[in-house]
Amino acid sequence: RELPKLMYAFGDARRPRADTLLLVDDILQEYVAGVTAAAADVQSRPGRVAPQDVVFVVRKNAKMYARILHLHRMKAQIAAAKRMVNDPTTFDDE
C-alpha cells in the first residue's frame, strides 16, 4: 500500500507497473531482512534487536548513517515540542 506512494515520491509513475512494484518490494524485503539479520548478529541484548544494533550495522554507509542521525535528532525535537505543548505552565499568562 505504501510502496507505490514512496516510489511516486521518488520520481516513479503515480501508478507503477505491477512487475516493477513486485521487484522493488522483493529488493526492499531482502535488504531489510539482511540488515536485520546482521543487527541480530551484533545485538546488544540477546533476543531483541535494538535501534543501536541497526545503527552499528549501517555505520560504514555514510549517507545512511547521516540520515539515521538526522531522523533521531528530529524525533527528539518533536518529542520536546510535544512536551512543551502538553505542559500547562508553558502558556500561562502571568
Side-chain angles (χ1 to χ4, degrees):
R1 211 180 282 178
E2 297 294 322
L3 189 55
K5 293 176 187 176
L6 286 170
M7 290 172 64
Y8 179 67
F10 283 97
D12 203 336
R14 184 174 292 276
R15 293 190 181 115
R17 291 177 34 174
D19 57 339
T20 304
L21 193 57
L22 289 174
L23 177 64
V24 172
D25 185 56
D26 284 345
I27 292 169
L28 184 59
Q29 285 185 26
E30 284 181 26
Y31 179 77
V32 170
V35 169
T36 305
D41 290 341
V42 298
Q43 63 190 337
S44 55
R45 292 191 311 202
R48 181 174 175 190
V49 174
Q52 63 265 22
D53 300 330
V54 175
V55 172
F56 182 80
V57 169
V58 300
R59 72 191 183 284
K60 293 181 182 176
N61 183 329
K63 191 174 185 178
M64 191 177 304
Y65 185 71
R67 179 71 175 151
I68 288 173
L69 292 179
H70 171 74
L71 290 174
H72 183 68
R73 280 189 224 107
M74 292 300 297
K75 181 180 176 183
Q77 288 177 353
I78 290 169
K82 284 182 180 180
R83 279 192 307 273
M84 192 167 46
V85 168
N86 292 332
D87 182 9
T89 62
T90 303
F91 301 106
D92 281 347
D93 293 336
E94 293 183 14

